């Protein structure tokens, strides 16, 4: 057993070390998962007429798997089909997700597919953010996504934010959806979230697009998908990747997380 707890391999990549017990992600006692169907444990069923039915089964979401790994409490601030604009304009308010009593120590944001891919909303850029008043952000994906971060920073100023990129998808030449423009949007989304980690403090990137598996290889689809969404094993795998990535971030930035126990309290260590 390696007992050198102070040494971490500088060449380690985020998912080189997969943890199944939450790892250092367990330092967060409350975690809020802001996202769409893939954050909601959505399963696809089949109706009597052969049509597809969709079901958010939150107990199977990667957030709840993560909570069970860590022994933490996780909030599903999510729903199938969710976008950043809907979240800001009505969903969060209608469901009480801005309530300070639900403030979390960590927020994991996993939005973008429905916004920029399915609804083709303008992705925008950092210039769409009004840092003085988030209600004045531009009506782009960037503006609404930043607004979520800004609003939760007001509620829990010292919380940590983890922004998830969209996983890598393999080209499908038989589908008109998978064009070069389509893949360019994934790259633009990842680049935008990278910028967010530079302009907001306590903000980190979970770059599954770069470091995660290829979600559309036949082997991956057969093992981890049920229709167009993940199956139970797929959501558990996602939870393991999220926990491992956050564990990696914490281990390589220990100074940033020394006072996480005080987040949500009036206490600080100033020595």
């Amino acid at each position: 057993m390696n007992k050198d707890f102070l040494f971490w391999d500088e060449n380690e990549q985020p998912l080189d070390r997969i943890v199944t017990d939450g790892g250092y992600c367990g330092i967060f006692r409350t975690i809020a998962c802001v996202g769409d169907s893939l954050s909601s444990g959505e399963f696809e069923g089949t109706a009597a007429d052969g049509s597809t039915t969709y079901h958010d089964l939150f107990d199977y979401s990667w957030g709840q798997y993560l909570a069970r790994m860590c022994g933490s409490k996780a909030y599903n601030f999510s729903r199938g089909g969710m976008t950043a604009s809907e979240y800001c304009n009505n969903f969060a308010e209608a469901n009480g997700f801005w309530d300070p009593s639900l403030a979390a120590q960590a927020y994991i944001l996993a939005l973008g597919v429905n916004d920029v891919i399915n609804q083709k909303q303008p992705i925008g850029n950092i210039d769409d953010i009004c840092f003085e008043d988030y209600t004045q952000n531009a009506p782009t994906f960037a503006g609404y996504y930043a607004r979520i971060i800004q609003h939760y920073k007001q509620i829990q100023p010292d919380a940590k934010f983890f922004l998830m990129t969209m996983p890598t998808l393999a080209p499908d030449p038989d589908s008109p959806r998978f064009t070069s423009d389509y893949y360019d949007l994934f790259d633009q989304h990842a680049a935008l979230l990278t910028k967010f980690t530079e302009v907001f403090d306590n903000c980190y990137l979970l770059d599954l697009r770069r470091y995660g598996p290829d979600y559309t290889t036949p082997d991956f689809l057969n093992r981890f998908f049920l229709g167009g969404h993940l199956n139970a094993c797929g959501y558990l795998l996602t939870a393991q990747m999220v926990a491992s990535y956050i564990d990696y971030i914490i281990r390589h930035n220990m100074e940033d997380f020394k006072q996480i126990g005080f987040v949500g309290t009036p206490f600080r260590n100033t020595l």
Side-chain angles (χ1 to χ4, degrees), residues 5 23 52 113 165 170 194 222 230 236 270:
F5 298 109
T52 301
V113 173
T165 66
T194 302
N222 289 336
L230 297 169
L236 176 56
T270 57

Side-chain angles (χ1 to χ4, degrees), residues 133-210:
D133 180 2
Y134 59 75
T135 65
Q136 301 303 308
N137 288 5
T140 63
F141 172 72
Y144 284 116
Y145 194 99
R147 183 170 171 173
I148 295 172
I149 297 173
Q150 291 168 286
H151 199 149
Y152 281 123
K153 277 183 167 291
Q154 279 192 347
I155 294 170
Q156 190 78 290
D158 296 318
K160 304 297 183 180
F161 290 80
F162 300 94
L163 315 182
M164 190 182 299
T165 66
M166 293 182 280
T168 298
L169 298 177
D172 180 0
D174 297 325
S175 172
R177 184 184 184 197
F178 290 86
T179 64
S180 59
D181 290 342
Y182 177 86
Y183 288 107
D184 186 53
L185 288 173
F186 281 77
D187 292 334
Q188 289 180 45
H189 177 270
L192 176 66
L193 299 195
T194 302
K195 286 290 187 181
F196 279 141
T197 66
E198 297 169 359
V199 300
F200 290 115
D201 64 345
N202 290 319
C203 204
Y204 307 86
L205 192 68
L206 301 180
D207 197 355
L208 297 187
R209 178 149 181 76
R210 180 176 181 184

Side-chain angles (χ1 to χ4, degrees), residues 23-251:
Y24 280 113
C25 193
I27 67 174
F28 301 115
R29 308 317 300 147
T30 49
I31 303 169
C33 305
V34 180
D36 50 32
S37 58
L38 294 180
S39 298
S40 304
E42 183 161 304
F43 288 97
E44 294 186 18
T46 307
D49 63 1
S51 61
T52 301
T53 59
Y54 299 92
H55 313 274
D56 286 350
L57 302 181
F58 294 108
D59 203 38
Y60 284 95
S61 67
W62 54 259
Q64 295 307 320
Y65 277 121
L66 180 64
R68 290 190 288 270
M69 282 184 210
C70 299
S72 304
K73 178 183 289 186
Y75 303 119
N76 285 104
F77 291 173
S78 62
R79 194 204 65 211
M82 187 52 53
T83 63
S85 57
E86 182 182 356
Y87 195 90
C88 291
N89 289 332
N90 51 62
F91 180 73
E93 182 68 30
N95 289 278
F97 294 157
W98 302 129
D99 189 331
S101 69
L102 298 178
Q105 293 177 315
Y107 292 84
I108 306 173
L109 276 62
L111 289 168
V113 173
N114 293 310
D115 312 70
V116 302
I117 304 299
N118 295 335
Q119 295 190 13
K120 303 187 185 305
Q121 295 177 0
I123 192 165
N125 54 55
I126 295 298
D127 294 336
D128 295 337
I129 304 172
C130 178
F131 290 96
E132 293 75 30
D133 180 2
Y134 59 75
T135 65
Q136 301 303 308
N137 288 5
T140 63
F141 172 72
Y144 284 116
Y145 194 99
R147 183 170 171 173
I148 295 172
I149 297 173
Q150 291 168 286
H151 199 149
Y152 281 123
K153 277 183 167 291
Q154 279 192 347
I155 294 170
Q156 190 78 290
D158 296 318
K160 304 297 183 180
F161 290 80
F162 300 94
L163 315 182
M164 190 182 299
T165 66
M166 293 182 280
T168 298
L169 298 177
D172 180 0
D174 297 325
S175 172
R177 184 184 184 197
F178 290 86
T179 64
S180 59
D181 290 342
Y182 177 86
Y183 288 107
D184 186 53
L185 288 173
F186 281 77
D187 292 334
Q188 289 180 45
H189 177 270
L192 176 66
L193 299 195
T194 302
K195 286 290 187 181
F196 279 141
T197 66
E198 297 169 359
V199 300
F200 290 115
D201 64 345
N202 290 319
C203 204
Y204 307 86
L205 192 68
L206 301 180
D207 197 355
L208 297 187
R209 178 149 181 76
R210 180 176 181 184
Y211 295 108
D214 185 338
Y215 276 48
T216 60
T217 62
D219 282 346
F220 194 92
L221 289 169
N222 289 336
R223 287 174 170 83
F224 299 113
F225 270 75
L226 185 67
H229 289 81
L230 297 169
N231 61 25
C233 292
Y235 289 118
L236 176 56
L237 174 66
T238 304
Q240 291 173 348
M241 290 193 293
V242 170
S244 300
Y245 209 130
I246 293 177
D247 173 83
Y248 164 87
I249 290 171
I250 294 171
R251 288 187 291 105

